[in-house]
Amino acid sequence: MSILELIFNRRSYRGPYENASVPREDLRRIMAAGLAAPSGCNKQTTSLIAVDDPVLLERLKSTIDPPIAETAPAAILVLARDIIAYRDRCYSVQDYSAAIENMLLAIKALGYESCWYEGHITDEDRIDLKLAEILGVPEEYRIVCFLPVGRAAGKPGAGPKKKAFEERAWFNGFGGE
């Protein structure tokens, strides 16, 4: 699949996963794709933790309420650090967003499925803090995303209908050509 085909065909997958482990080499490749993403002023504020140990993964998943990705055989947790990059600005949100998108594309390219879970774990109930404690994450980092990784047990859906290109993109000015 070409990169453009990957972009147009990737969808968030929230269904059940096959009961098959994800080889560590595939997890490494997915993580390397994430770390290859651009980073504001090259501050590299994004770090990653892959979890493929079934006991630890079950402990993490049982902490997330309401449940998500209950049958996923692996997960990647995305961590961010707030580091000033330029003119008192921090670009960690942009950094980790680029890293996550790279990983989602790599996940799809390798034949796996995933879903970007962020708000679900960083809401008022602060599940991210509970996950961080389990994983021994230092205070200067925060967990911002939980990415399950696995092969879909069912057929992924078609995805949501997107608005027409002309409703959201223009040439030479807002609402132009």
Side-chain angles (χ1 to χ4, degrees):
M1 203 181 288
S2 76
I3 188 67
L4 288 176
E5 288 173 319
L6 277 171
I7 290 168
F8 292 127
N9 289 301
R10 191 213 66 77
R11 298 287 180 262
S12 294
Y13 180 75
R14 294 177 181 87
Y17 291 87
E18 290 181 0
N19 184 17
S21 64
V22 178
R24 192 163 280 187
E25 185 53 37
D26 286 352
L27 289 171
R28 181 178 293 279
R29 290 175 70 194
I30 293 164
M31 294 167 74
L35 297 176
S39 172
C41 297
N42 198 34
K43 293 299 181 184
Q44 301 177 50
T45 61
T46 303
S47 297
L48 309 168
I49 298 173
V51 179
D52 58 359
D53 175 85
V55 174
L56 179 58
L57 186 58
E58 185 53 40
R59 188 170 169 211
L60 293 173
K61 289 189 287 188
S62 69
T63 303
I64 301 172
D65 184 36
I68 58 169
E70 295 172 286
T71 58
I76 297 171
L77 288 94
V78 181
L79 287 64
R81 284 185 305 153
D82 291 331
I83 299 173
I84 299 302
Y86 179 70
R87 292 188 179 174
D88 295 329
R89 300 278 317 263
C90 174
Y91 299 105
S92 65
V93 172
Q94 294 88 337
D95 293 354
Y96 75 73
S97 297
I100 292 168
E101 183 63 12
N102 274 12
M103 288 190 289
L104 289 170
L105 293 172
I107 288 166
K108 185 71 174 176
L110 292 171
Y112 301 106
E113 298 295 337
S114 188
C115 184
W116 179 334
Y117 291 103
E118 182 173 354
H120 189 80
I121 63 167
T122 60
D123 243 347
E124 295 171 356
D125 52 4
R126 300 308 310 261
I127 293 169
D128 57 323
L129 297 177
K130 298 170 191 170
L131 299 174
E133 184 177 336
I134 292 168
L135 294 170
V137 175
E139 279 185 28
E140 64 268 19
Y141 293 83
R142 66 188 193 287
I143 294 178
V144 295
C145 181
F146 181 93
L147 285 179
V149 181
R151 298 211 186 274
K155 183 169 173 53
K161 184 177 180 341
K162 299 287 186 180
K163 291 181 181 180
F165 178 90
E166 296 76 15
E167 289 182 56
R168 298 175 51 209
W170 308 280
F171 293 93
N172 303 315
F174 189 90
E177 310 171 44

